[in-house]
Structures are given as structure tokens and as C-alpha cells.
Amino acid sequence: MADRLCDPLDSHSPRGAAIILRVIDREHLLDDLTEAQRQAVTHIDGPLLIIAGAGSGKTRVITRRVAYLISQGISPYSILAITFTNKAAGEMKQRISALCKQPLRDFGRLDQPWPIICTFHSLCLRILRHYAPVIGLPANFSVYDSADQTRVLKEALKLLEISSSNFAPSVVHGTISKAKNQLITSDAYAQAAGDFYTKQVARVYTKYQQLLARNNALDFDDLLLRTTLAFREHPQILRELQDRFQYLLIDEYQDTNHAQYVLAHAMAMRHRNICVVGDPDQSIYRWRGADIQNILDFEKDYPDAKVVRLEQNYRSTKTILHIASDLIAHNSERKKKTLWTENEQGAKARLILAQDEYDEADAVVSELKRLRESGFSWNQMAIFYRINALSRVMEKALFNAQIPYQIARGVE
């Protein structure tokens, strides 16, 4: 059986460990915060929605809030902060360690004495590992990466004698992934399948899961799905986690999907001390299942929620902020806010009209060369594009112009 979760900071816990964090100077925590940031940091009990505009210091607010909760005598063990990337989680751990004057050593386990600061998938992996005997998972289960998932999916197609030309593995896997993030199991998907395509995908989904089980493996989406199913099928697991995590913080809430929404609110249901940080204007992951309604409906889910708006921007010039605000104001699904900055006005923005992608690439190269001649180094320049497929023409133009570059992909 899995060990019962107990607070290592509690001297009466069966582990007999009393780990005391150094006293944090809570007044110093608030010294350099704005009034809105202070409100977000010092709110303790009850649901909290922080609408954090771009460049408004939300990471500072989240890390100060964790440290402030600890300074109020709240057990670090009872605090859970969820981010969307491992990089963001690492940065938060470093900042909180500095504030607490004590390193937060994360061993990738559920049962440890510090605040857990991790991604949704990392949290679910910890839960599944800890409760594997109860859930019925092998203790040594593997988590397959993208390459392994593609290999298993191709094997499923081959075993079912389904043409990978007509059913591209990437497309089929995307459909299965979407179903899992909607908490639809292979059995439920098969029962709902109506047309030829969904019936074939249902067969692949079922075979794919069988092959994963045969290899004692889960895929990335299974981490969310299996954890949610564990909450339903083993309510004692959910009760223990509700008792454990009395304070829940979620970053980038506008990018949560259905499975993440269900997980978060299930764990917060008992104490209702849930703090979500996000901005509907920055929602960019709808293509992979993010549901902007999660943040738009937070006040419906929690009618007593306190709402704090972080509207001061520290990153951009007045010109950039004005352009961005005027453009995004046309969005219909958003939370109203008024961004402002004390930064300089900045140069006027330039609008370049290109004939096609080649003309556009040439214009970018010319601008990079001009900046280089003005004294800027290549590593001070960056090119952003909407999707990776757009990079080919740009890369060719950079290569031909002998401009050094590095492609950065992914969010982890």
C-alpha cells in the first residue's frame, strides 16, 4: 500500500521530523511591491484571481506570495504551485529559496517537506508514483516521450492493418491526445464513435493503450487522465491530497485544458484557497486543448473570489503598450484591464508591407544588417514567427546572408 501523506514539518507526524524554516521578514517581502501586487501577495484565505498583464511582474507576485504564506506560519508542506514549464518551475524554486534563505530541494517526489513547485504533468507523475499500488499501476512504470509514442502508435496501426498514409500517425495521435485531455478513455471514445474515421481512431486508441500497458508505460497525456480517474475511483486519494494541499497556486491559468481544470478544482474543493494567475489576452494554446473559458468563468466557479489586476507594465515602452492594447481591445473574450507603464515613450513602430514570404525574409535580413552596423551584436536580436513551418524561408535568407542564428523550439 502507498504511504499515507503526512506533514514532515509536524513534530507529531509518524516520521518524527520537525523541519523548521528560518523566519522570513514579511515586511521586507512587501517593500518593493505596488499596491496591487501587495493585495495579491497578502491575500491568504479564499479564492483569488490575479489578472496579470504582460510584463506586470507576475512571477515576483507568485514567489512572494508563497514566501508570505510561509511567513504567516502556514506549513510549506501544504503549498502547491503549478507552472506550465519546467524552466518556470525552476526559476520559481530559485526565487523562493532566496526569499526563505534556504534551498528547496526537489527530489521529484510527492512526500517532501517543501512547497511543491512543478508542472501539472510533474505533479500527476508524483501522485501516480506515490499511489501506484492503490491505483493498480506497476511501481516501475515508464513515461514515454514523443518518439516512443510515435513508435507505439505506428505499431498499433500496423497490427490493425490500417494504412498510415490514410491515417497519418501524427494526426491520429493528436486526436487521441485531445480525447485524453477531455478525459475521454478509449472505451468511452469507442462508444461515442459514429463515422468511419472516429471508429478507426477508436480501434487505434484501444490498441495503443493495450501496447502501452504491455510495456508498463504511460504517455504524457495519460498522466493527467490516470490521475483524474484515480480521484474518481479512489476518493481516499483525493481526500488525502485535499488535506495536504491547503493552498494552491496556478500560473498561466488561461492556458489550462479541461483535464487540468478538473484536477485543480478537485484538489481545491475542500479548503477553496485557490489562487490563479493569468490573462485571457495571452491565451495562445487553444490548438493543444487550452480552454480560455477556465479563466473567464473563474468568478462563476467562485462567486466570492477576490480579483486583483496587475496593470503596470515594466517591460515595454509606451508606444508598444499602446499598440498592443489597441489591438487586443477588439477581442470579445477577455477580462478588461488598462495597462500602463512608467517607461519611456520609445521609438515609433514601423509597418512593413511585404509582397510574399521571400520579400518579408529579405526585409528582415536588411533590418538585422542595419542593426549590426549600428553596433548591436547578433545575440541581441531575435525573430519571432507564428508557427515553426514559417521558419524555412527565413532560415534560408539568414544562411545566404551569412548571419549566424540558432533555432529555439518548444516550451519546456
Side-chain angles (χ1 to χ4, degrees), residues 21 93 96-98 100-106 114:
L21 285 176
K93 289 171 191 172
I96 294 170
S97 293
C100 295
K101 297 181 176 62
Q102 185 166 339
L104 303 184
R105 297 184 178 89
D106 191 340
W114 319 112

Side-chain angles (χ1 to χ4, degrees), residues 32-241:
D32 56 349
L33 302 181
T34 66
E35 178 57 32
Q37 290 174 333
R38 283 178 179 238
Q39 289 181 29
V41 168
T42 58
H43 177 85
I44 297 179
D45 293 323
L48 172 65
L49 169 62
I50 302 174
I51 303 296
S56 61
K58 70 179 180 67
T59 302
R60 172 185 292 186
V61 168
I62 295 172
T63 53
R64 296 289 180 89
R65 178 171 166 77
V66 171
Y68 185 82
L69 291 173
I70 296 172
S71 76
Q72 298 298 301
I74 292 167
S75 169
Y77 182 77
S78 67
I79 299 171
L80 170 64
I82 302 175
T83 68
F84 262 76
T85 68
N86 292 322
K87 182 179 179 181
E91 181 183 352
M92 285 189 186
K93 289 171 191 172
Q94 289 178 354
R95 291 198 190 190
I96 294 170
S97 293
L99 293 169
C100 295
K101 297 181 176 62
Q102 185 166 339
L104 303 184
R105 297 184 178 89
D106 191 340
F107 301 106
R109 296 169 49 195
L110 186 64
D111 204 3
Q112 55 188 31
W114 319 112
I116 287 186
I117 304 164
C118 63
T119 65
F120 270 105
H121 292 89
S122 175
L123 173 67
C124 290
L125 179 58
R126 295 165 196 244
I127 293 172
L128 293 176
R129 291 266 188 229
H130 188 86
Y131 292 103
V134 177
I135 297 170
L137 285 171
N140 61 339
F141 71 84
S142 301
V143 180
Y144 276 0
D145 60 17
S146 297
D148 287 327
Q149 292 170 35
T150 300
R151 175 180 56 80
V152 174
L153 195 70
K154 288 181 177 179
E155 183 180 353
L157 288 168
K158 184 177 181 180
L159 290 172
L160 295 171
E161 298 183 344
I162 295 176
S163 170
S164 59
S165 298
N166 297 328
F167 290 83
S170 61
V171 176
V172 175
H173 185 261
T175 303
I176 294 173
S177 175
K178 183 178 180 180
K180 289 184 178 182
N181 285 320
Q182 289 294 323
L183 303 180
I184 301 173
T185 64
S186 57
D187 288 342
Y189 190 90
Q191 289 176 5
D195 57 33
F196 176 76
Y197 176 79
T198 54
K199 287 181 179 179
Q200 293 300 98
V201 171
R203 294 177 62 211
V204 179
Y205 188 178
T206 299
K207 179 61 69 175
Y208 175 68
Q209 292 303 117
Q210 290 172 352
L211 292 173
L212 287 176
R214 184 184 303 170
N215 294 323
N216 287 339
L218 303 178
D219 70 10
F220 214 47
D221 299 308
D222 280 328
L223 297 177
L224 300 175
L225 176 60
R226 292 299 298 267
T227 302
T228 307
L229 292 177
F231 286 179
R232 295 176 181 174
E233 297 167 1
H234 306 280
Q236 75 276 14
I237 294 177
L238 177 58
R239 281 197 299 270
E240 283 193 20
L241 293 171

